[in-house]
Amino acid sequence: MLTLVLVFILALGAGALGGLVGTGSSLVLLPVLVLLYGPRAAVPMMAIAAVMANVGRVAAWWRQISWRPVFAYSATGAPAAVLGAHTLLTISPKIVDGLLGGFFLVMIPVRRAMAKRGWRVRLWQLGVAGAVVGFLTGLVLSTGPLSVPMFTGYGLSGGAFLGSEAASALLLYTAKLATFGQGGSLTTGVIADGVAIGTALMIGPFLVRRIVQRLRPQTYARLIDMVLVAAATGMFIAMGSV
């Protein structure tokens, strides 16, 4: 019981981080969950929590969501997440985690170059990215930072970015969670702990809503870079624990 209380408190902070920059909550919680519960329980548990966390973000920014990029991204991403989740049951994600860690680090200069040169991601490119990220979302433990440069590159920022990215992630994680349910991975204990963690993650976005509205674009960009670094670190930690 004490363990769950401590994880709940950590999840509150992780939810606030996710509500601030649109991603990162899974990466903060992942090493802790793997250490306490093992990777087999941590993956579906985090999927439950991620669904609930994104429900909270969608609710917080509902009026600012841009639905066209959400549907373009999720139309290919959700089926790909199902395929990735099925693949996860047959292969080890260790190598993929390592590659993603390196990719996250590379995305820092790429994202800055996109912003400096005014590159824009088009709607059809979001559809292609959704298929790739959707598959990886089903395959590995967390790919949240992969969607950050795509939605910001489309021109979204602040509440519009947070809500739109959360809505697309909600659809992807729901597809992944349904696959785990069919595979028998959602035990009573996993569901109970996942719901408890997800509840804490849902509260986080509302705690930082006013802060997001006051953030300067430069500060927001730095926070995204910090999350990408944390994402790479989280992937390398996950790779070592598999």
Side-chain angles (χ1 to χ4, degrees), residues 211-224:
I211 298 177
V212 171
Q213 294 172 335
R214 297 175 182 177
L215 278 180
R216 296 180 179 179
Q218 296 86 350
T219 304
Y220 190 78
R222 293 191 189 99
L223 287 173
I224 291 178

Side-chain angles (χ1 to χ4, degrees), residues 35-226:
L35 179 63
L36 295 177
Y37 301 100
R40 287 191 176 183
V43 175
M45 192 181 299
M46 196 63 244
I48 294 172
V51 167
M52 296 181 65
N54 284 297
V55 167
R57 293 177 198 165
V58 168
W61 301 105
W62 176 261
R63 295 183 179 180
Q64 298 187 43
I65 293 176
S66 180
W67 289 106
R68 288 188 66 192
V70 169
F71 290 139
Y73 191 83
S74 305
T76 56
V82 173
L83 179 61
H86 279 295
T87 306
L88 176 63
L89 300 177
T90 60
I91 67 171
S92 171
K94 183 174 182 178
I95 295 178
V96 181
D97 284 343
L99 291 175
L100 279 176
F103 181 81
F104 291 151
L105 293 178
V106 172
M107 283 309 302
I108 295 175
V110 170
R111 188 196 63 77
R112 291 187 175 186
M114 290 176 63
K116 184 176 181 180
R117 300 184 182 183
W119 293 348
R120 286 292 180 264
V121 175
R122 297 182 180 179
L123 206 61
W124 69 267
Q125 292 172 321
L126 276 175
V128 174
V132 175
V133 177
F135 178 78
L136 293 175
T137 297
L139 181 63
V140 300
L141 298 177
S142 177
T143 56
L146 285 174
S147 62
V148 170
M150 300 309 302
F151 281 90
T152 55
Y154 185 75
L156 302 179
S157 62
F161 159 71
L162 293 171
S164 301
E165 194 279 336
S168 64
L170 176 60
L171 295 175
L172 266 61
Y173 273 104
T174 299
K176 179 177 181 177
L177 189 59
T179 305
F180 284 140
Q182 293 177 351
S185 300
L186 299 180
T187 64
T188 302
V190 167
I191 293 175
D193 289 347
V195 169
I197 296 169
T199 300
L201 292 179
M202 289 180 71
I203 298 173
F206 293 95
L207 298 178
V208 297
R209 198 171 190 274
R210 291 185 178 180
I211 298 177
V212 171
Q213 294 172 335
R214 297 175 182 177
L215 278 180
R216 296 180 179 179
Q218 296 86 350
T219 304
Y220 190 78
R222 293 191 189 99
L223 287 173
I224 291 178
D225 287 346
M226 291 173 62

